[in-house]
Amino acid sequence: MLNNQYQITEVKQIINAGGNIVKEYIISALFTDSRRLNNAAEGLFFALSGRRNGHEFVAGAYAAGVRNFVVEHGPEFNLPEANFLIVADPLAALQTLVAYHRSRFNLQVIGITGSNGKTIVKEWLYQLLNADKNIVRNPKSYNSQIGVPLSVWQISSRNDLGIFEAGISTINEMEKLEAIIKPQVGVLTHIGTAHDEGFANRREKVLEKLKLFKNSQKLICNYDQLIDYKADIPAKETFTWSRKFNQADLYVFSGTVISKNYYLRAYYQKQEIECLVPFTDEASIENAIICWATMLALGYSAVEADKRIERLVPVSMRLELKNGINNCSVIDDSYNSDLQSLEIALNFLGQQNQHQKKTLILSDIYQSGLPQDVLYQQVADMVAGKQVDKFIGVGEALVGHQEYFSVAEHHFFNDTAAMLQHLKQLDFKDETILIKGSRSFEFERISRALAQKAHETILEINLNTLLSNLDFYKSKLKPGVKVMAMVKAFSYGSGTFEVANMLQYNKVDYLAVAYIDEGAALRQAGINLPIMVLNPEASAFDKLTEYKLEPVIYSFGLLDDFVSYAKGRNISNYPVNIKIDTGMHRLGFENHEIDTLCDMLEVNRYMRVQSVFSHLAASEAVKHDEFTKTQIKRFEKAFKEIERSLGYTVIKHLCNTAGIIRWPSAQYDMVRLGIGLYGIDSAVPASNRALQPIASLKTSIAQVKKIKAGDTISYSRSGKLAKDGKIATVRIGYADGYLRAFGNGVGKMLVKGTLVPTVGNITMDMCMLDVSGLDVNEGDEVVIFDEQHQRIEELATQIGTIPYEILTNVSQRVKRVYFYE
């Protein structure tokens, strides 16, 4: 038996489970998500209770081939070949099983925690140490109560070093992760504000993080940050670094930028040593110093550490989704390739429904620790299980093992250059393409060739933040309350199918759009959720019914139009949604019309009412709370009358984003989550980091000019500098959505870490910034808004508008790039 395989009877004993074993199985894979099943026949599914009850997905996992389950209860399952291990807490059982697995191996383990930099430090240590060690590590940033056990489960006898990061968000979490990781060496990265809201104070957070090292021999840490915690450090010894205090083991006393590198000098063991870091930003420098200190603490010479750190390469932890040539979608993961990250990327590919055809471009995989025949058989099995329609293998190893791959359309090339020479013959069209390659293959060349050429101004959308915001609001809902996600207006400017795919994959219940064309486009992109159309037009009812969209009926005229349409086509019981005007006075049936509406609905066989809803006019404003209460009373009176007339219950929904937080008593059966999904909610203070904007708008400098005092700038000669200085012309204007109101110093953008004002009028495609005193060059990045330096709310304040207008005004000619970690 392989050392990462267990008999199901053995697992039952390890986790002290009840239940009966109906058939013996081998377990080698652990699952917590029924959508991500690989090697299902040897899988064990843990039905975790979180924002969704994992027991609801047991049947789906069984249908996909899983036969072993860890559950809180089991009698209602009628799955004849399945084993159900019954425990009080499936998550605790998962952690217990993996802690046992970890205990069977005596490899050296480095445990990493902190507020920022954990994943980068882990990946850089992997780069620095993999020449000497066979390393197992977390895939991406799998550092949670679930992610850590799934990562540590990968340990096998071929590994001689483990590098695992651990993330926590509140007290009483780290001891569980320590029991699983059991690090002999600890690394503490930067302690910042992340997750402050989960702790009473900073000290409580630091003490919780230090629990990871309670059995460690050595802790590598920043001397500056732990001055006040010397008595609390549990590790037997420390190796400290500092840029301020010469008492540290590694005292970094000098740092200088040299030709896009950062040259560090330090004292170590009473000798001066040096290190060249191939990055210049502050975060990368700190992370590199942590890695430098770790290598020295592990016994590497200063010369060897310097030599390896100089060769560090950037870590891309995010999948990048962008538009491609010939109506393709391109998922760019062109900087690393291993089995774990390949599985993550293939799962993301599987979430995309906008094209029927799915393509994988894959390079050889290095440093897996597996014999090539074993490695590429695993890769081939993984690809076969993920419904890839077109496979392109690049590299001599893949060419040598091409017989393992059974994908109907397949192509193999010895190197990247050979593939690029055959790009036209590969005929990429109407497909979703995942580009997954080891860095040495330079797959960024393939990405550039397949990506649609676009405007240099980019709206970056963080899909992980979108899901985090969704989880935040789900945590505020009463049990059983559904979520309707508002994706109208191009998802508030953030995209169409890209956002809808993520919402569908993560089990929202409904989508809402403004117009029929928006709903039809989502159906064409493979979205099969119920879609409510807020403003349907009678002229497009054919398209509405063709794509199975649900209209909102808000007036007698629209009701008559739809009944006539349905009658003429012999349609019955078509799902519709009834809107009540309780005080917004935009659309909807008014109070005095409800009796007549009920009479018409009662005898109507052409439609079936799916939901009744209304819209709160000022749910976010304390000063209008009495009016909101009046709206709630009017809504309850209306839906009760309607349900009484219909003779059946319908879905009731009233709360918008702010209403979810401020009016939990009005959540009813469903809530409509709008701008909050995108990270903006006036009912949630900006200081609450549980909610984050998902979008960052960035552009670049086209030209830098020296300007004399008094010289005029832009149209109407509207701008001037008070004294001699510099302006930067940047690639964004009012045609991109940066409104003319931002001109003449009203708006500000971030350049080289400094907020600088606009100068003169905003033009159609460009605008000018005062960059006097800054060292800037053509091509430098410029940030219009992001979550850290200048939020959308601040831009809205600058011109006296609301965040909705800022976000939805971003033009369609601005390139959207979607990131998923």
Side-chain angles (χ1 to χ4, degrees), residues 516 533 536-546 548-578 589 600-601 604-609:
I516 291 170
V533 180
E537 296 173 324
S539 61
F541 281 163
D542 280 334
K543 185 177 285 189
L544 180 133
T545 55
E546 177 188 355
K548 296 181 173 58
L549 308 174
E550 297 182 12
V552 168
I553 304 298
Y554 54 78
S555 70
F556 290 119
L558 189 60
L559 191 152
D560 289 341
D561 286 342
F562 190 77
V563 168
S564 297
Y565 171 82
K567 188 175 182 179
R569 286 157 182 78
N570 200 27
I571 294 173
S572 60
N573 290 317
Y574 195 87
V576 303
N577 301 270
I578 302 297
F589 292 97
M600 296 181 72
L601 293 175
N604 195 308
R605 64 180 180 83
Y606 300 104
M607 59 179 69
R608 179 177 178 84
V609 178

Side-chain angles (χ1 to χ4, degrees), residues 334-349:
S334 58
Y335 292 103
N336 65 84
S337 188
D338 56 60
L339 283 173
Q340 289 74 38
S341 65
L342 174 60
E343 183 174 2
I344 292 168
L346 283 171
N347 284 329
F348 187 62
L349 176 65

Side-chain angles (χ1 to χ4, degrees), residues 371-434:
Q372 284 198 354
D373 57 343
V374 175
L375 170 64
Y376 291 106
Q377 186 61 64
Q378 287 190 21
V379 172
D381 291 344
M382 192 181 296
V383 170
K386 297 297 182 181
Q387 297 180 324
V388 172
D389 303 292
K390 180 177 177 179
F391 179 78
I392 300 169
V394 180
E396 294 180 358
L398 278 166
V399 170
H401 295 84
Q402 59 184 282
E403 70 275 7
Y404 290 10
F405 293 85
S406 58
V407 180
E409 183 181 350
H410 54 263
H411 311 269
F412 292 88
F413 303 94
N414 281 318
D415 53 40
T416 303
M419 185 204 149
L420 288 170
Q421 287 174 2
H422 291 81
L423 209 60
K424 286 186 178 180
Q425 294 93 310
L426 292 169
D427 192 28
F428 294 105
K429 185 184 298 180
D430 298 314
E431 53 199 283
T432 304
I433 306 164
L434 170 60

Side-chain angles (χ1 to χ4, degrees), residues 128 275 292 295-296 300-310:
L128 294 166
C275 180
W292 192 15
M295 291 194 73
L296 296 173
Y300 286 85
S301 71
V303 172
E304 184 63 23
D306 174 36
K307 185 167 64 176
R308 295 192 186 188
I309 288 171
E310 189 176 348

Side-chain angles (χ1 to χ4, degrees), residues 592-603:
H592 67 273
E593 298 175 315
I594 300 301
D595 287 345
T596 305
L597 173 65
C598 288
D599 291 340
M600 296 181 72
L601 293 175
E602 191 174 7
V603 297

Side-chain angles (χ1 to χ4, degrees), residues 13 57 112 122 192 240 251 310-311 342 349 510 517 730 748:
Q13 184 177 3
F57 305 100
I112 304 171
K122 178 200 69 189
T240 60
Y251 170 46
E310 189 176 348
R311 298 198 297 265
L342 174 60
L349 176 65
Y510 254 87
D517 282 345
V730 298
K748 294 178 174 60

Side-chain angles (χ1 to χ4, degrees), residues 159-171:
N159 304 125
D160 47 27
L161 176 64
I163 308 176
F164 299 108
E165 58 173 297
I168 55 170
S169 56
T170 189
I171 59 171

